[in-house]
Amino acid sequence: MSQSVSRRSFLVASAAAAVGGTLTPAQAPAPVPVPRAAAPATIDRDLLDVTIDRLHTYYQQHRYTVTQVVQWHLACIARYNGVYRAVQTVDAQAALAAAAREDAEARQPGFHPGPLWVVPIVLKANTSVRGLVTIDGWRGYMLPGHQLIALRDATLTARLRAAGAVLIGITNMPDFAASDTTRSTAFGRTGNAYDVRFSPGGSSGGTVTSVTANLAVLGNGTDTGNSIRMPVATSNLVGVFPTRGLVSIAGIAPLDWLLDNTGPITRTVRDAAIALTVMAGEDPLDPATLGSQQKAQPGPYTRYLKAGALRGKRFAVPAFILSGEATPFQGVCASAIPAQFEQARKNAFMPLRPETRAAFMKAVQELRDAGATVLIQPDILPASFAVAASHICTLPYIREGTTHFLATFGPPQYHSPAEYQRAVGSPLPATIIGGDTTGIHQARIESDPDAQANYFRPRRQTLDLYLDALRRYHLDGFVYPAIQMPPPDETMPQNGKLSSGPHSDTAWVNMLGVPAISIPAGFYPSGLPFGIEISTRPWYDGDLLAWAYDYEQRYPHRRRPVLVDRGLLPAATGPLQP
């Protein structure tokens, strides 16, 4: 946000409006005094794009209180959220109460702050927060008397709180995270902070706009097919897709539990490393995490952040991505006839735009200048790899994920899809439970006789191809565009219809569960951001962060967006009641 919130009167009024819990223009509550130490011009300069380390330094120097920092972020939401629509729910009263407690606790002898102590954060709307509605982007979870009110925190939420983070808002997302842009039936459209007319991507578009616009220091995203890595590329941020099993997804409303993942969205690689260290860990509520601490590189992940980490490393560009050979989302099941398989592959085809290829080749040259070798050869992960990955089919098992989530994190009214239908009078959408309209029978993966053919065997074979390429070419990882195209202008039809993108060819990462990171890598001539993605072997998340950190230090591509606080049309509604 290069336009600073520079008027004391505005900052006071905005913070006051935030205290009410919703930020509607009609509200005019009594002002909340801003402490004298927080001179507006100074606090704007200090907190714009502030890092976790710098924020902790300010606290240690008694430059700002926790309350001042939280008020400042609430003021930013008050000023800009009506235009960008990134934050769906503002829990200002709880945030300010937590800030006051932390200010008091910090004065106690022997106080030892956690790694995210009083860092203002946002969480995506599919992440359970005790006492709040887990809206998941869908108005069906908001029906009066039938809200999906979380009775407990998601494991991720609990870990962030335990590390000292202060939750200030819940971010917008498309219904069930099932879109490459961010429009929801619950809260409408979120705009890109670099130009509100353009898409921030999806489904973590609310979090990326919040973080890049300085409405929060960091947040979480979820990723079922590209939903952390693609949107951060539209918005000049860092996004981590951890090795599946490193971070628990328990308490996050699923789109497809076999593909879902969660990780940090931040402005710097170091902040991502700090947040990932907090998020990682075993969780009995998520069996995929059991034993992860023995397999993963040991934390804290900041230990891997060293200059020169790219020197001598070897990467390759997957040939299938350059040719646009994407994998169909959720794959094609073994029962499909060849014509159906080929049609699904044809529908998924996603060519790399010329302007994106040009931006990517500049980034490749930067990696080479940093001392890395980058191979671009037609035989390294060619189209046959994408064909193999397309056979990994998760569609028959999506109901199992929703059933398990509701059983553990649903409200008293309903702990299963069947109970939801009885309580509300209509079923949950097929997007998250399957059904007759999909033509695919739902089953439990543990007992389905077709599970080997649908999922386990093709996943194992495709992972073998991935690891074999790493071994055969003596590679450390793969590098490729995090997005196949620039963000589209959502005020104009794209190919004659409403935009559903931008899109990427990275859903295969979810199918394999290997780690990947997306980082800023420059800008298009239009001024919109471009990002690259790096992936590597399972459980080598620390190495990914090391390479990204070295690249970031050598080529600091991030620059803040210039925000506007007025739009052509007034916002239809303010943030929702907590």
Side-chain angles (χ1 to χ4, degrees):
M1 177 173 28
S2 58
Q3 292 180 346
S4 62
V5 185
S6 58
R7 299 187 301 277
R8 175 180 291 271
S9 60
F10 172 75
L11 185 59
V12 173
S14 298
V19 174
T22 59
L23 307 177
T24 58
Q27 284 182 315
V32 174
V34 176
R36 289 185 179 181
T42 302
I43 195 170
D44 292 344
R45 181 196 66 212
D46 289 345
L47 295 188
L48 286 168
D49 272 13
V50 71
T51 64
I52 295 170
D53 290 339
R54 178 60 61 88
L55 184 58
H56 285 167
T57 297
Y58 291 151
Y59 288 144
Q60 291 162 5
Q61 295 173 342
H62 305 290
R63 191 178 183 98
Y64 303 110
T65 65
V66 176
T67 298
Q68 288 171 330
V69 170
V70 170
Q71 284 177 330
W72 185 87
H73 284 89
L74 290 172
C76 291
I77 296 173
R79 182 172 188 177
Y80 295 112
N81 201 51
V83 174
Y84 296 95
R85 307 283 290 167
V87 182
Q88 163 203 282
T89 304
V90 179
D91 198 1
Q93 289 182 329
L96 289 171
R101 289 194 302 269
E102 296 295 346
D103 277 327
E105 185 178 349
R107 294 190 288 268
Q108 301 302 314
F111 171 66
H112 297 290
L116 292 178
W117 185 65
V118 289
V119 173
I121 68 167
V122 287
L123 292 175
K124 192 172 175 180
N126 55 359
T127 305
S128 297
V129 177
R130 183 178 180 181
L132 299 184
V133 180
T134 309
I135 293 176
D136 202 19
W138 183 52
R139 61 187 177 187
Y141 282 146
M142 301 169 57
L143 295 175
H146 303 295
Q147 296 98 328
L148 204 171
I149 299 174
L151 300 182
R152 59 192 296 185
D153 282 342
T155 301
L156 179 81
T157 306
R159 286 191 170 138
L160 292 168
R161 287 194 202 271
V166 174
L167 175 64
I168 61 172
I170 306 299
T171 60
N172 192 33
M173 58 176 280
D175 296 33
F176 311 115
S179 175
D180 280 352
T181 190
T182 299
R183 295 189 197 91
S184 74
T185 57
F187 195 60
R189 173 187 176 269
T190 296
N192 190 307
Y194 288 85
D195 190 327
V196 71
R197 299 171 299 171
F198 287 77
S199 174
S203 61
S204 302
T207 297
V208 300
T209 295
S210 296
V211 174
T212 203
N214 279 272
L215 310 185
V217 175
L218 63 90
N220 83 307
T222 61
D223 192 319
T224 310
N226 58 32
S227 289
I228 289 174
R229 296 156 292 137
M230 178 268 282
V232 301
T234 75
S235 299
N236 216 217
L237 295 175
V238 176
V240 179
F241 180 97
T243 302
R244 178 64 188 100
L246 184 66
V247 177
S248 172
I249 61 170
I252 296 176
L255 171 56
D256 185 329
W257 67 286
L258 290 171
L259 304 176
D260 292 340
N261 204 352
T262 188
I265 292 173
T266 63
R267 294 188 288 263
T268 69
V269 175
R270 181 171 175 83
D271 280 4
I274 294 170
L276 184 62
T277 302
V278 169
M279 294 176 175
E282 298 185 24
D283 177 15
L285 293 177
D286 183 354
T289 66
L290 301 182
S292 61
Q293 297 307 290
Q294 287 70 49
K295 294 179 282 189
Q297 289 179 308
Y301 288 105
T302 51
R303 71 196 300 177
Y304 302 97
L305 308 185
K306 298 176 182 177
L310 285 168
R311 194 174 302 118
K313 297 300 181 290
R314 289 174 57 84
F315 302 99
V317 180
F320 77 93
I321 289 181
L322 294 185
S323 64
E325 297 287 343
T327 54
F329 179 57
Q330 297 175 301
V332 183
C333 288
S335 59
I337 63 175
Q340 292 173 319
F341 182 84
E342 291 306 318
Q343 186 61 50
R345 295 267 301 126
K346 181 180 179 181
N347 293 343
F349 182 73
M350 191 61 57
L352 188 66
R353 295 281 181 85
E355 59 269 46
T356 302
R357 183 185 294 270
F360 176 62
M361 293 312 298
K362 290 180 181 178
V364 167
Q365 188 57 53
E366 288 176 336
L367 289 167
R368 288 169 172 165
D369 291 344
T373 297
V374 181
L375 303 178
I376 303 178
Q377 299 177 196
D379 59 335
I380 301 179
L381 295 190
S384 58
F385 175 84
V387 171
S390 298
H391 287 285
I392 304 171
C393 183
T394 59
L395 283 166
Y397 314 110
I398 56 176
R399 181 189 290 261
E400 182 176 355
T402 298
T403 299
H404 182 71
F405 168 75
L406 290 177
T408 309
F409 289 90
Q413 278 191 323
Y414 48 89
H415 287 287
S416 70
E419 289 183 1
Y420 178 91
Q421 182 168 354
R422 284 197 294 270
V424 175
S426 59
L428 290 168
T431 306
I432 56 170
I433 64 168
D436 294 338
T437 58
T438 67
I440 296 176
H441 175 71
Q442 290 295 301
R444 295 186 72 252
I445 197 168
E446 297 84 355
S447 56
D448 182 20
D450 296 324
Q452 279 294 330
N454 281 332
Y455 178 74
F456 292 110
R457 186 183 306 121
R459 183 180 185 275
R460 184 169 58 249
Q461 292 170 344
T462 308
L463 182 59
D464 285 345
L465 291 173
Y466 177 86
L467 296 175
D468 180 65
L470 289 170
R471 288 188 294 264
R472 193 151 37 97
Y473 293 96
H474 308 287
L475 301 173
D476 295 284
F478 296 98
V479 61
Y480 40 93
I483 190 168
Q484 296 291 101
M485 61 193 67
D489 181 347
E490 295 192 310
T491 67
M492 302 289 288
Q494 306 294 317
N495 299 319
K497 58 185 179 181
L498 187 68
S499 169
S500 61
H503 306 293
S504 73
D505 284 351
T506 60
W508 58 275
V509 171
N510 302 73
M511 293 170 160
L512 301 184
V514 298
I517 188 169
S518 181
I519 53 178
F523 289 81
Y524 291 103
S526 64
L528 294 170
F530 166 76
I532 60 171
E533 183 172 326
I534 308 173
S535 66
T536 191
R537 295 170 176 81
W539 308 110
Y540 282 79
D541 302 70
D543 286 352
L544 271 184
L545 288 159
W547 305 328
Y549 177 80
D550 191 28
Y551 181 83
E552 174 191 69
Q553 297 304 300
R554 289 173 177 272
Y555 310 107
H557 287 297
R558 168 148 179 95
R559 64 173 183 261
R560 293 194 299 271
V562 177
L563 302 181
V564 297
D565 56 14
R566 293 174 181 83
L568 296 177
L569 297 172
T573 60
L576 304 173
Q577 290 282 359

